[in-house]
C-alpha cells in the first residue's frame, strides 16, 4: 500500500514507517497519535501518555521521562512514580540510569515485575550543590540499570525529621530516566532542573514482535518486516529489528521499506552490519 497520503511529521518530529498516524500508515503495534491541540503539536505512542520527541532510523524513539515532586510538610513522606511500556516490544536499554535530584532522601528502583534494581541516597548537609561535576550522592544520586526493562516503579522516601526544602532554582525533587551521560555531568541536570526540554530523554529500543526471531520471521514473507538487503537482528527480549550498514546508506533510507536502501556510488549492495546494543 502507498504511504503517499500519510503525515510525515507532527510538530517538529519527523515520522518514518513502520511508525505512522492514520489508517494504512503504520505497521501493527507502531501507531502514533498527534495532538494538534498543543503548540507545537505533540506526538505520542499509540493512545498512551508517552510522548515521542524523536524517531531514529534504527527504529529507536526518544521519549522524555521526567518526574517533578512537590514536597509535603509531613515526616517520613514517600513518593511514587512509574512508567510502563505502552506496547509490547518497547524497552529501556541497559545503558540508562535513574537520576534523582534533591535533598535528604532514599530512592529505590524496581523493574516491571517488582524486582529491586538498586537504591541510592542523596544528602545535602544543609544545601543543594548545583555546581558539581558528578552525580555523587550530594544533591544528586543515580541507579544504573542492570539490563533492559519494559517498565519500572520508583519510590523516594524523605529522611526522618527533614523539613521540606525548596528554592526558586531547585524546588522539590526531580527524577528522570536518561542516559548514563549524566553520571559525570550532574551540572547539566541542575542547570536544567526547571527547564527539562534541554535534557536528554530515553532512547527506547523497539522490536517487531509478531514473530519471536528473524528465523521465524523469514518463514513468513507476507509479514516479514525487513526490506531487501537490510539486516535482520534478533533482540534479547524477543522479536527482531532491521538495519542497514552506515557505510552503504544515507540517513533518509528506511530498512522497513522495499525501496528504502540506495547503495552509494561504487557499492554493489547495501551490505548488512550487526547493530550496536543488541
Amino acid at each position: 500500500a502507498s504511504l503517499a497520503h500519510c503525515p510525515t511529521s507532527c510538530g517538529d518530529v519527523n515520522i518514518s514507517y513502520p511508525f505512522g498516524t492514520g489508517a494504512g500508515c503504520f505497521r501493527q503495534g507502531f501507531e502514533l497519535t498527534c495532538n494538534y491541540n498543543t503548540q507545537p503539536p505533540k506526538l505520542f505512542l499509540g493512545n498512551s501518555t508517552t510522548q515521542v520527541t524523536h524517531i531514529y532510523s534504527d527504529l529507536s524513539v526518544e521519549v522524555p521521562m521526567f518526574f517533578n515532586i512537590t514536597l509535603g510538610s509531613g515526616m517520613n513522606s514517600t513518593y511514587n512514580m512509574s512508567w510502563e511500556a505502552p506496547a509490547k516490544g518497547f524497552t529501556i536499554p541497559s545503558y540508562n540510569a535513574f537520576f534523582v535530584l534533591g535533598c535528604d532522601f532514599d530512592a529505590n528502583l524496581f523493574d516491571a515485575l517488582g524486582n529491586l534494581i538498586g537504591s541510592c541516597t542523596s544528602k545535602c548537609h544543609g544545601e543543594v550543590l548545583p555546581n558539581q561535576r558528578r552525580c555523587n550522592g550530594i544533591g544528586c544520586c543515580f541507579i544504573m540499570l542492570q539490563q533492559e526493562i519494559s517498565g519500572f516503579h520508583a519510590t523516594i522516601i524523605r529522611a526522618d525529621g527533614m523539613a521540606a526544602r525548596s528554592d526558586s532554582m531547585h524546588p522539590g525533587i526531580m527524577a528522570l530516566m536518561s542516559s548514563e551521560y549524566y553520571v559525570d555531568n550532574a551540572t547539566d541536570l541542575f542547570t536544567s532542573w526547571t527547564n527539562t526540554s534541554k535534557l536528554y530523554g530515553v532512547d527506547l529500543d523497539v522490536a517487531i514482535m509478531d514473530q519471536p526471531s528473524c528465523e521465524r520471521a523469514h518463514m513468513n514473507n507476507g509479514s516479514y518486516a525487513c526490506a531487501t538487503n537490510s539486516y535482520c537482528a534478533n533482540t534479547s527480549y524477543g522479536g527482531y529489528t532491521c538495519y542497514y550498514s552506515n557505510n552503504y546508506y544515507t540517513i533518509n533510507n528506511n530498512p522497513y521499506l522495499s525501496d528504502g536502501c540506495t547503495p552509494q556510488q561504487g557499492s554493489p549492495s547495501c551490505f548488512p552490519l550487526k547493530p550496536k546494543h543488541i
Side-chain angles (χ1 to χ4, degrees), residues 76-223:
N76 301 321
S77 299
T78 299
Y79 306 90
N80 296 278
M81 60 212 65
S82 61
W83 180 84
E84 182 180 353
K88 195 174 181 182
F90 290 83
T91 59
I92 302 173
S94 59
Y95 51 84
N96 289 283
F98 185 69
F99 297 88
V100 191
L101 281 70
C103 281
D104 306 306
F105 60 79
D106 296 317
N108 302 289
L109 183 67
F110 305 87
D111 66 18
L113 299 177
N115 300 310
L116 180 67
I117 296 174
S119 303
C120 71
T121 298
S122 171
K123 302 296 182 184
C124 291
H125 309 292
E127 293 292 336
V128 172
L129 304 178
N131 295 318
Q132 58 187 329
R133 290 188 177 181
R134 284 186 59 82
C135 184
N136 59 1
I138 304 176
C140 173
C141 73
F142 68 93
I143 303 166
M144 283 297 304
L145 299 187
Q146 306 301 313
Q147 60 186 21
E148 68 273 353
I149 57 174
S150 60
F152 65 85
H153 174 78
T155 61
I156 297 176
I157 305 172
R158 201 170 71 239
D160 292 351
M162 299 305 300
R165 295 180 184 171
S166 179
D167 63 69
S168 59
M169 289 298 295
H170 310 105
I173 292 175
M174 183 182 78
L176 69 154
M177 184 72 74
S178 193
S179 165
E180 60 187 349
Y181 163 83
Y182 289 119
V183 171
D184 294 313
N185 293 275
T187 302
D188 290 353
L189 294 179
F190 281 100
T191 56
S192 301
W193 192 320
T194 56
N195 185 10
T196 55
S197 64
K198 296 181 180 180
L199 294 175
Y200 296 125
V202 176
D203 292 343
L204 300 181
D205 283 342
V206 189
I208 306 293
M209 298 298 291
D210 53 17
Q211 294 293 338
S213 66
C214 292
E215 293 73 22
R216 288 284 298 274
H218 272 297
M219 297 171 63
N220 189 344
N221 289 333
S223 64

Side-chain angles (χ1 to χ4, degrees), residues 20-33:
T21 62
C25 294
F26 58 89
R27 185 181 177 92
Q28 185 175 359
F30 293 87
E31 182 178 6
L32 301 173
T33 301

